[in-house]
Amino acid sequence: RFTLYAQQRNGFKRVPQKTEPRKPDQETGSKPYKSSLSPPVQETIFYTSSPSLKHLVKPFFFTIGFTGCAFGSAAIWQYEYLKSRVQNYFDEARADWMDKLRPQKNGDFRKQVNKWWNSLSEGQRTVTGIIAANVFVFCLWRIPSMQRTMITYFTSNPASRVLCSPMLLSTFSHFSLFHMAANMYVLWSFSSSIVSLLGREQFMAVYLSAGVISTFVSYVSKVTTGRFGPSLGASGAIMTVLAAVCTKMPEAKLAIILLPMFTFTAGNALKAIIAMDTAGLVLGWKFFDHAAHIGGALFGIWYVTYGHELIWKNREPLVKAWHEMRSKSRGKGGGGSH
């Protein structure tokens, strides 16, 4: 099932401060919008003059570099995993055979956990770590002494003194329990489909890259409009997952969680979400980070249409170079032992 529009990335506002580079007479005020989704930060600043685009240079190169590293690491991870699976095949088969011969302990908590874990799909097991990371960061928001650090590093804002690391960290950050629960529910719901489509390693590269790319699109929008304000939430990356699945399976039937009697196709759901976010961006709706939503959705559509062929299917030279480097290192190690 699909929680319609529950994967929103939350944007919130900040009041003028003396440390801002613009003078007070260059700003236009607006009333604070208080929300249970937002941490207690101040109201967004609106500038009448065009802000400098130099704020986007470092985030741009960080986006390119991080995306390249994410896919390169995923390719090497897949190579090493497949290699270890071949090497350990007989050991695992023997271990499974021995487990069947041993009497099972019904009351053993570890056995119950293993049984639950094995009942999950590969996609659900894959996103469990992502969900755990989001829960951990959510707990950090509850620590009063961590508030300043969380706002600096776990909310993304092109006007902040820290630009690059929050592009990734903010995608694991939620201040509201409802916001986190809604996002994680959508991720869990689509996890089996997206991992079946891409595989575990490629999915992780796409998900992490999507978080950074959607944040960069948010940065561009904020700098262009002059409305600098912090944002947080996993919905940029989740929109990529949703868009990828809906693009590949446009005829799949979805439903709103609270209204299961109303069903619609995945293709129509994607069009509706993009239309709503486009309207929000054009009309200046301030509650959600619509630019991040659109950036994530467009990246998901592009990746399953073109990116998989351009990026993932051309990973062989990198894997071959890694294999040769590992072979040489083992050769040197073996030579030194004689």
Side-chain angles (χ1 to χ4, degrees):
R1 291 187 178 182
F2 163 55
T3 307
L4 186 60
Y5 215 59
Q7 68 283 355
Q8 283 110 196
R9 182 180 177 89
N10 188 31
F12 41 90
K13 308 173 183 179
R14 192 169 71 172
V15 293
Q17 297 181 5
K18 293 181 180 179
T19 55
E20 291 295 331
R22 304 290 179 177
K23 296 181 180 179
D25 59 358
Q26 291 178 305
E27 302 165 3
T28 59
S30 61
K31 294 181 180 180
Y33 191 102
K34 295 182 179 180
S35 168
S36 61
L37 300 181
S38 308
V41 296
Q42 304 129 330
E43 190 180 1
T44 302
I45 298 170
F46 293 86
Y47 295 100
T48 55
S49 59
S50 299
S52 174
L53 294 177
K54 67 180 181 180
H55 292 90
L56 300 177
V57 175
K58 288 175 63 177
F60 173 77
F61 285 107
F62 177 79
T63 302
I64 299 298
F66 180 85
T67 301
C69 290
F71 279 95
S73 300
I76 294 171
W77 176 20
Q78 185 186 65
Y79 164 80
E80 292 292 342
Y81 173 74
L82 294 176
K83 186 177 179 182
S84 66
R85 289 289 293 174
V86 172
Q87 292 174 345
N88 298 332
Y89 175 77
F90 292 105
D91 291 339
E92 291 179 355
R94 184 169 63 251
D96 291 341
W97 181 71
M98 293 297 292
D99 285 340
K100 292 179 181 179
L101 293 179
R102 296 193 190 103
Q104 300 295 317
K105 298 180 180 179
N106 295 329
D108 191 345
F109 176 74
R110 183 177 178 182
K111 291 288 186 181
Q112 297 298 322
V113 172
N114 288 337
K115 182 178 179 180
W116 169 79
W117 180 258
N118 293 329
S119 69
L120 300 178
S121 67
E122 184 181 8
Q124 291 171 334
R125 290 196 293 267
T126 300
V127 302
T128 299
I130 297 175
I131 294 174
N134 280 269
V135 172
F136 176 72
V137 175
F138 173 78
C139 292
L140 293 180
W141 275 109
R142 315 266 77 81
I143 303 175
S145 61
M146 291 289 294
Q147 291 291 306
R148 185 180 297 273
T149 299
M150 298 303 293
I151 291 173
T152 301
Y153 293 97
F154 287 85
T155 66
S156 60
N157 184 3
S160 173
R161 62 182 177 84
V162 182
L163 293 175
C164 295
S165 57
M167 297 177 71
L168 175 65
L169 297 178
S170 65
T171 63
F172 293 89
S173 180
H174 300 83
F175 183 77
S176 163
L177 177 61
F178 172 78
H179 187 205
M180 181 185 69
N183 276 343
M184 295 304 100
Y185 175 80
V186 175
L187 178 61
W188 181 267
S189 299
F190 282 84
S191 60
S192 298
S193 297
I194 190 65
V195 173
S196 297
L197 184 65
L198 301 178
R200 179 182 58 179
E201 298 83 4
Q202 186 181 185
F203 160 72
M204 288 300 300
V206 170
Y207 184 87
L208 295 176
S209 299
V212 174
I213 290 171
S214 63
T215 304
F216 179 73
V217 175
S218 173
Y219 277 8
V220 173
S221 175
K222 289 175 180 177
V223 170
T224 302
T225 60
R227 182 168 62 89
F228 293 161
S231 300
L232 80 172
S235 56
I238 293 174
M239 278 295 292
T240 295
V241 172
L242 188 151
V245 173
C246 292
T247 300
K248 275 294 185 180
M249 298 181 286
E251 299 303 319
K253 293 294 183 179
L254 303 177
I256 303 173
I257 183 173
L258 298 178
L259 300 171
M261 69 290 298
F262 298 106
T263 61
F264 41 85
T265 64
N268 289 335
L270 179 60
K271 293 175 184 177
I273 292 174
I274 293 178
M276 292 173 64
D277 279 315
T278 301
L281 185 63
V282 172
L283 298 176
W285 297 346
K286 305 177 185 68
F287 191 65
F288 300 116
D289 193 337
H290 299 285
H293 292 180
I294 295 173
L298 293 180
F299 176 63
I301 295 171
W302 174 84
Y303 187 81
V304 295
T305 306
Y306 305 106
H308 175 75
E309 296 285 338
L310 294 174
I311 299 176
W312 192 249
K313 288 197 172 181
N314 290 318
R315 69 189 185 281
E316 183 178 351
L318 173 64
V319 174
K320 184 177 180 180
W322 174 260
H323 172 75
E324 292 175 353
M325 184 180 70
R326 288 291 304 274
S327 299
K328 290 180 180 178
S329 64
R330 284 197 299 269
K332 290 180 181 180
S337 64
H338 291 295

